Every structure is written in structure tokens, then in C-alpha cells.
Amino acid sequence: MKIDIHSHILPKEWPDLEKRYGYGGWVQLDHHCKGQAKMMKDGKVFRIIQENCWDPEVRIKEMNLSGVTVQVLSTVPVMFSYWAKPQDTLDLAQILNNDLAATVKKYPKRFIGLGTLPLQAPDLAVKEMHRCVNELGFPGVQIGSHVNEWDLNAPELYDIYAAAERLNCCLFVHPWDMQTDGRMSKYWFPWLIGMPTETTIAICSMLMGGILEKFPKLKVCFAHGGGAFPYTVGRISHGFNVRPDLCALDNKVDPRKYLGSFYTDSLVHDHGALRLLTSVIGEDKVILGTDYPFPLGELEPGKLIDSMEDFDNKLKDKLKAGNALEFLGLSRKQFE
């Protein structure tokens, strides 16, 4: 069994958001030719996507070819729209969540949904989280690595974490809104360097901000193998201990002590990196994630895990399925 925790989907179409809300900055799809569409933002092409980004039947065919049993679906992070008026972001989140729920309902043994929330308005986000879990049947939601000027330790987000604990709603943290100008404007740096950096900041903000101390039952998984954190945790821990005046402002617990308390996906593209990741984060805490259907993802799902000669079959099964089921609070029988 292979369960992919990290895959993105969009509706085939949605309303003209600039007309709907009265201002720009929104993404629209331009189906300019059969099987492809341009994601347009204020008249400029953001990304060209293929039909596997919106058509569940095309996805299932590709899943069957690559041996993926279940995809955990979440929106494309550019759709988070935390910058917008809260009521408008809520409206868009509901459009996306309802479309996602319809896909999961049609193919319940192949897809699991993670909703999206208007995090810039925590009261609205909590209400939509309740709807995602209680009405739409999602086991969790996807959140961005920051919310405008708030990092994930922001007290404004505490109500969201408290609600997630109560609802047993897991959080999949995805980087977004990376710096794209200046020194980061070349060589695809926002995606190659900016995304891992965003994820590292998100982890450190949660740990050093005491989020897992305040909300010990929170289930959190960070995308892209936890960014640079697994490789730099020694430096982070050392810095925490030698400069507590700078690092231990909001939490007196060494960040290293939270290893084993959160998850990451497996998307690291390298044998040595995956070996380090499972050693540092924990064999029970790393989950197959591919970033399907985008080119920076793992193009042959699970190939890296399967190719690890020093991983036994029990460990490989944990990474490919068991850990995902534990994180999501679901049983293997649901998908057999």
C-alpha cells in the first residue's frame, strides 16, 4: 500500500474572483487548449498545469500506473489567499473545500481531503475547520508556513490549534509566499531554496514558540522533508542552549526534545537525506509525500523509499502507508 500525503488538486473551474470580490490578486484558470490550463494571476501566467491537476479520473489512471493506493488531496498553496479580505478568503476556501469533498465522496477508497482555511481571520478559520471535519469528513487541513506577518507561533493562531486538538484535526504545513525578488529572483531559487527555508522557519517557530508545549495533542506534518531542519537541528539546539536570551524567550524547552513529536513528508530526492530524515525525525514520523502533480515532486512515487537497501520491509511499509494512517487517524481497512 502507498498513501501519498502530499498531492495538490484544483477544481476544473471556479467563478471569476476579481468580479466576485471587486479587486485583483486572484488566480484564475484559462483552459487555453485541451488537457492544459494556464493559472493566471492579474493577467500574468503563474503556472501551466495539466488535466491531472483537476481531473480525478486522470489522477486515478496515473495512480494505478505508479502503484499509489490513496492520495491525500490539498489545494495549491497559491490559493491560500491569506492576504485578501477575510470573508472573501472564506468564500474561496468553501468553494475549494466543497469541490474537494465532492471528489473524495465520489472516490472514497482513492482520495482523502485536507481542507483550506482563512487563517488571517482565526474566528472564521475555526468555524470552517469545524465544517471541514464534521460536515465534509476531512481528517485535517493544510495550512501555510506563515500567515502574512504572523509566523506559526503567533498567539492569534492559538484558537485554531486548540480547535484542531479538540477535533483531532491534523495539520499539514506547506511553504508558500516565498521571497521572489532580488537575490532570490534567479535559478528557481524561491522553490529550490525558499521553500525549504520557509518550512524550517515554520518548524522553529512552532517549537521555540512553545506551540507543541501548549497544544501537546496537536498532530502536525511539515512538507518537503522538514526543509533544512533535520540537517541543522544540532546547530539550532546548540544556539538555543548558548544564547537562551535570544532563543528561549517563549519556551524553555530545547527544540531537540520535540523530535518524535511531529511528522514530515519524505520528499527529499536523495538516499542520504532520507536516511538522515528517518534517523532524526523518527521512523514512525516520516510519511510518503510526492508533491504530485508538479515537476519538483517525486515523479515515481515511493521509488526512493523502495530503493533504500538498508530499510527493511517493515520500515518501508511504515513510510509508505502506516505512518500516514497514524497521522490521519484512519485505518488500513478503509482503503483495502
Side-chain angles (χ1 to χ4, degrees):
M1 180 177 279
K2 289 186 203 172
I3 300 174
D4 181 1
I5 196 71
H6 184 173
S7 71
H8 299 295
I9 194 168
L10 290 169
K12 185 175 182 179
E13 51 199 8
W14 55 86
D16 184 323
L17 301 178
E18 186 169 350
K19 284 184 181 176
R20 190 177 179 95
Y21 305 135
Y23 54 99
W26 306 96
V27 172
Q28 295 295 151
L29 279 192
D30 172 15
H31 289 273
H32 63 287
C33 68
K34 183 175 173 57
Q36 281 195 346
K38 295 175 183 174
M39 295 179 73
M40 304 295 295
K41 192 174 181 182
D42 293 330
K44 296 180 180 178
V45 177
F46 172 75
R47 178 181 293 163
I48 295 176
I49 58 174
Q50 281 68 46
E51 60 187 345
N52 58 4
C53 201
W54 68 78
D55 188 329
E57 293 180 2
V58 172
R59 297 177 83 97
I60 288 171
K61 287 178 185 174
E62 295 188 0
M63 290 163 66
N64 290 343
L65 287 172
S66 58
V68 173
T69 317
V70 182
Q71 280 185 347
V72 183
L73 306 176
S74 53
T75 195
V76 180
V78 71
M79 304 299 287
F80 287 155
S81 306
Y82 302 148
W83 52 270
K85 294 177 183 177
Q87 200 64 43
D88 298 336
T89 305
L90 173 62
D91 182 62
L92 176 58
Q94 290 179 337
I95 290 170
L96 297 170
N97 291 337
N98 291 345
D99 182 80
L100 182 53
T103 298
V104 173
K105 186 176 181 180
K106 191 173 181 182
Y107 304 102
K109 287 190 175 292
R110 303 309 300 270
F111 299 126
I112 297 165
L114 297 179
T116 188
L117 306 174
L119 290 182
Q120 74 272 39
D123 55 335
L124 297 180
V126 167
K127 288 177 183 175
E128 183 62 9
M129 182 187 286
H130 275 266
R131 194 179 79 92
C132 283
V133 173
N134 294 328
E135 294 180 30
L136 302 183
F138 298 161
V141 294
Q142 176 184 227
I143 67 172
S145 49
H146 66 275
V147 183
N148 303 324
E149 296 304 309
W150 300 340
D151 279 311
L152 295 187
N153 61 311
E156 290 87 349
L157 299 174
Y158 287 3
D159 286 350
I160 293 168
Y161 299 143
E165 274 198 325
R166 286 195 305 273
L167 292 165
N168 196 26
C169 175
C170 57
L171 306 179
F172 182 66
V173 181
H174 197 293
W176 88 299
D177 194 28
M178 304 80 66
Q179 181 185 341
T180 57
D181 57 1
R183 294 169 62 216
M184 293 296 285
S185 63
K186 59 184 179 295
Y187 306 141
W188 213 19
F189 275 0
W191 274 259
L192 300 184
I193 298 170
M195 279 195 160
T197 302
E198 274 292 323
T199 303
T200 309
I201 293 171
I203 294 175
C204 288
S205 295
M206 275 197 153
L207 303 189
M208 297 165 100
I211 299 304
L212 297 186
E213 203 66 25
K214 294 179 180 74
F215 305 99
K217 295 178 183 175
L218 204 60
K219 291 199 290 186
V220 189
C221 178
F222 297 91
H224 306 139
F229 182 83
Y231 186 72
T232 54
V233 63
R235 178 183 180 86
I236 292 163
S237 174
H238 178 73
F240 180 91
N241 287 301
V242 297
R243 290 304 304 266
D245 56 315
L246 298 176
C247 301
L249 301 175
D250 298 317
N251 185 14
K252 305 302 181 188
V253 181
D254 185 333
R256 185 188 287 276
K257 292 186 178 172
Y258 293 102
L259 294 173
S261 300
F262 60 90
Y263 296 79
T264 74
D265 74 13
S266 64
L267 189 54
V268 293
H269 300 289
D270 181 86
H271 291 89
L274 183 59
R275 192 172 292 111
L276 176 79
L277 181 65
T278 53
S279 172
V280 172
I281 300 299
E283 293 182 354
D284 295 328
K285 300 296 178 182
V286 177
I287 302 172
L288 172 65
T290 69
D291 214 351
Y292 175 100
F294 298 128
L296 199 46
E298 185 176 33
L299 304 181
E300 298 180 60
K303 183 178 180 181
L304 181 61
I305 293 170
D306 282 331
S307 69
M308 298 294 289
E309 294 180 0
D310 49 334
F311 287 10
D312 62 23
N313 288 335
K314 183 180 178 184
L315 174 54
K316 289 178 181 179
D317 181 67
K318 280 184 182 182
L319 301 179
K320 290 191 293 184
N323 295 344
L325 292 167
E326 187 69 27
F327 172 65
L328 296 164
L330 301 173
S331 73
R332 197 176 289 252
K333 288 179 182 177
Q334 290 175 249
F335 306 102
E336 287 177 339

